[in-house]
Amino acid sequence: MATTIRDVAARAGVGTTTVTRVLTGEGSVSAASRQRVLEAVEALGYRPNIFARGLSGNRSFLICLLIPEVIPGYVAEFQLGAIERCRAAGYHLVAQPYDSREPHYAEAVREAIGALRPDGFIITPPISDDLGVLGVLEAAGTPYVRLSPGLELELGNSISIDELDAARQMTELLIEAGHRRIGFIRAHPDHVAAGGRFDGYRRALTEHDLPYDEGLVRQGNFEFSGGEACGASLLTQAERPTAIFASNDDTALGVMAAAYRLGLRVPQDLSLVGFDDSDVARHAWPLLTTVRQPIRQMAAMAAEFLIARDQTGTARCKVQFEIVQRGTVTGNVPKSPALGMGDIALAGRD
């Protein structure tokens, strides 16, 4: 027998009117009652008829998630976190890929507003800094939450971490382990807020009286292939770094692949750190030392804001990051000779 709204009310210890208010977002409900209802909905697996609810009010019970066409690991986790929160509240999440090369993407967002009538948008980077998209949402009066924006911070609601301080602390970890030649692979240039990771790297060097060496920096693209190319470039120069800080985990794994092809071991010959703590960081070997963003928590917060329809003010939430130390950093700092051509040729053999 299907679970009914009365079953939810009985389990939560509230009336059916309270359950209806929580599910529709209409009317006043205490935070404690809301939490009990949502827990009962999840425990009983209650799934109200989304289409009937949409006809009875001014909600569609849809949230639209704008994601990059190439999905880094952290975006996949963010999507899962948003789905979990939406499902608990009887909402559906619609993911719409974004191609930064498409000049009419803002128009596609306008069409999505008209066709889907979503109750709001969750916007991941770099879309969270697309001023054309933000302009469309502002003009339509559609609620939205931006993840890790770097431009026009006064627009909309946002959730982020302190990227600069996270990178500063991670670089400091490498310095305290004894490293002095620390390479850095920069974030994709479209990800504005992630540029703070490079600023944090430089700040840590300054605070520890270490010179900044442009020859130790490469431009990445947030992808495995970019990390592989940048890693090979850094590790075959005249005096290679003893540690590399990659701006995300996918990039770090590319560096790891390049190192192994060159006959270098991680962490014995090269310490390596990443950023995000996406699934790949926990599946690599050795396990990757990285900065953990509470990605699922951030996703749940973004979805909750839109579900609760709290539009009384603009919220700019900063959440805590964590430095996660695993197996890719050593304090036994190796010397950093250049790899000879013989080493490169040998490492490239099957």
Side-chain angles (χ1 to χ4, degrees):
M1 183 180 295
T3 302
T4 69
I5 196 170
R6 290 185 178 84
D7 298 325
V8 175
R11 184 180 181 95
V14 300
T16 56
T17 300
T18 299
V19 175
T20 300
R21 286 176 175 174
V22 171
L23 294 178
T24 63
E26 307 296 338
S28 177
V29 179
S30 70
S33 294
R34 172 185 290 276
Q35 185 61 31
R36 290 202 304 274
V37 169
L38 292 177
E39 289 174 355
V41 166
E42 184 66 14
L44 296 173
Y46 177 62
R47 296 294 177 264
N49 186 322
I50 191 170
F51 299 105
R53 287 190 299 159
L55 290 172
S56 65
N58 61 351
R59 286 195 168 203
S60 65
F61 296 91
L62 295 172
I63 290 175
C64 192
L65 175 67
L66 301 184
I67 57 175
E69 192 170 56
V70 177
I71 305 178
Y74 88 95
V75 174
E77 284 212 28
F78 189 87
Q79 186 171 352
L80 288 173
I83 288 172
E84 289 170 358
R85 183 64 194 89
C86 287
R87 185 175 294 159
Y91 270 68
H92 284 214
L93 187 75
V94 178
Q96 181 165 327
Y98 167 91
D99 183 352
S100 59
R101 299 163 297 182
E102 171 55 56
H104 305 298
Y105 187 76
E107 186 57 37
V109 172
R110 192 192 315 277
E111 291 173 1
I113 294 172
L116 300 174
R117 298 186 303 108
D119 292 329
F121 283 77
I122 301 173
I123 316 176
T124 61
I127 321 164
S128 52
D129 285 317
D130 188 315
L131 300 184
V133 169
L134 299 179
V136 166
L137 294 171
E138 287 284 329
T142 303
Y144 61 93
V145 181
R146 304 164 69 191
L147 176 67
S148 302
L151 300 174
E152 306 291 346
L153 300 182
E154 72 282 358
L155 288 177
N157 305 279
S158 64
I159 301 171
S160 60
I161 67 168
D162 189 332
E163 310 249 0
L164 186 153
D165 193 49
R168 182 192 65 79
Q169 289 190 33
M170 180 59 85
T171 306
E172 192 168 71
L173 181 148
L174 294 171
I175 294 170
E176 290 175 349
H179 295 278
R180 295 298 178 266
R181 288 186 59 77
I182 302 171
F184 189 86
I185 301 177
R186 302 186 66 163
H188 192 293
D190 288 347
H191 291 243
V192 181
R197 302 174 192 182
F198 178 60
D199 296 335
Y201 160 76
R202 293 199 64 173
R203 180 172 295 184
L205 295 179
T206 299
E207 289 176 352
H208 289 266
D209 298 320
L210 294 176
Y212 167 68
D213 183 349
E214 193 170 331
L216 292 175
V217 176
R218 297 292 185 274
Q219 178 61 62
N221 61 0
F222 269 173
E223 297 178 27
F224 180 94
S225 59
E228 197 171 21
C230 292
S233 175
L234 285 167
L235 294 172
T236 54
Q237 60 183 331
E239 189 178 0
R240 62 176 173 82
T242 63
I244 293 178
F245 185 173
S247 279
N248 78 337
D249 296 337
D250 290 331
T251 299
L253 263 62
V255 174
M256 191 180 292
Y260 286 139
R261 285 198 181 96
L262 292 167
L264 298 173
R265 300 163 300 165
V266 176
Q268 294 91 335
D269 303 313
L270 174 73
S271 287
L272 178 65
V273 300
F275 203 107
D276 288 330
D277 196 29
S278 55
D279 276 345
V280 296
R282 299 184 289 274
H283 295 158
W285 187 259
L287 303 181
L288 184 66
T289 294
T290 187
V291 175
R292 174 181 293 158
Q293 296 197 67
I295 298 169
R296 294 203 178 188
Q297 176 191 345
M298 294 165 74
M301 289 172 64
E304 175 59 31
F305 183 88
L306 297 172
I307 291 167
R309 282 187 139 177
D310 181 9
Q311 302 299 318
T312 56
T314 300
R316 298 184 186 91
C317 301
K318 288 283 188 182
V319 295
Q320 292 297 312
F321 61 84
E322 180 185 353
I323 304 296
V324 182
Q325 298 189 51
R326 295 194 178 103
T328 55
V329 175
T330 179
N332 184 22
V333 180
K335 294 182 179 180
S336 55
L339 289 174
M341 292 307 295
D343 296 317
I344 297 172
L346 179 61
R349 286 165 132 183
D350 292 332

